[in-house]
Amino acid sequence: MVVDDSDRCSYTLIGTKPHNMAPAKAGDALPDVKLDELVDGEIKSVSLKELFAGKKGVLFGVPGAFTPGCSKTHLPGYVADYDKLKAAGAEVIACVSVNDPFVMGAWGEAHQADGKVVMLADTRGELTKALGFELAGLVPVLGNVRCRRFSAVVQDGTLKTVNLEEGGELTCSLSNQILDQLKQ
């Protein structure tokens, strides 16, 4: 059971929803979206559904690679807590952002995420839109609609919990919050 202990976060499940609908809710399946990953200098298409098929893991999303909150707190926390997350049952840990795969690859390399966190580019924002997690307020700064910060426990293609940040907060979607949820 996930308890809402903050006015700044909402806890629900994620799933596939048409664009411009309310954020997905409990019981929905992980959207069958293809994302991009940079592997050995080559772009690899990754089915999010296949990545989590038959596995328990963590999916977290951020507004942008190399942005202050994401680079100082969000991604480094998941890299640092990798062993704890694995011990709690995570077989896959993946980060997604509306960026291109080259930027995501460089960002992962800069934070020693290789072998710990799968760095996925939601290049066209398809996952972000399917989830209803658009963050439009950053368009003047980042150039396009971005993903709200979130984290989710995924089990065999179903999102069991999600921690959805309000505005630019960095609280409920951090690795220490998802760690307790993995153990449930």
Side-chain angles (χ1 to χ4, degrees):
M1 181 173 146
V2 178
V3 178
D4 184 353
D5 60 358
S6 170
D7 292 336
R8 296 174 287 196
C9 300
S10 57
Y11 300 90
T12 131
L13 295 180
I14 306 174
T16 306
K17 291 290 177 199
H19 185 59
N20 290 331
M21 296 215 35
K25 63 180 181 7
D28 292 338
L30 185 65
D32 189 12
V33 174
K34 299 239 190 259
L35 302 172
D36 298 317
E37 180 184 17
L38 190 65
V39 179
D40 298 325
E42 300 290 325
I43 298 173
K44 175 183 156 191
S45 180
V46 176
S47 164
L48 196 56
K49 189 174 181 178
E50 289 175 18
L51 180 66
F52 285 97
K55 298 176 187 157
K56 184 176 186 178
V58 173
L59 176 66
F60 69 101
V62 298
F66 293 107
T67 57
C70 303
S71 288
K72 291 178 185 175
T73 306
H74 220 162
L75 178 58
Y78 281 92
V79 172
D81 286 345
Y82 171 78
D83 290 328
K84 292 177 188 174
L85 294 166
K86 293 295 266 187
E91 299 168 84
V92 176
I93 302 165
C95 174
V96 64
S97 182
V98 180
N99 283 111
D100 67 70
F102 299 103
V103 168
M104 289 299 286
W107 190 41
E109 186 177 318
H111 289 279
Q112 296 81 43
D114 191 40
K116 296 180 179 181
V117 178
V118 180
M119 303 299 290
L120 299 172
D122 187 11
T123 308
R124 293 161 299 283
E126 293 170 357
L127 176 64
T128 298
K129 291 172 188 170
L131 297 173
F133 285 1
E134 296 98 329
L135 181 61
L138 293 177
V139 171
V141 177
L142 298 177
N144 58 348
V145 173
R146 297 300 179 111
C147 184
R148 287 173 60 186
R149 284 188 185 95
F150 76 91
S151 64
V153 173
V154 181
Q155 186 146 10
D156 193 23
T158 301
L159 286 100
K160 297 297 183 181
T161 66
V162 74
N163 309 300
L164 182 59
E165 299 284 2
E166 297 295 333
E169 297 294 326
L170 269 162
T171 55
C172 64
S173 65
L174 300 176
S175 62
N176 62 330
Q177 297 296 317
I178 204 78
L179 184 60
D180 290 335
Q181 295 167 13
L182 268 172
K183 296 174 185 177
Q184 297 177 8

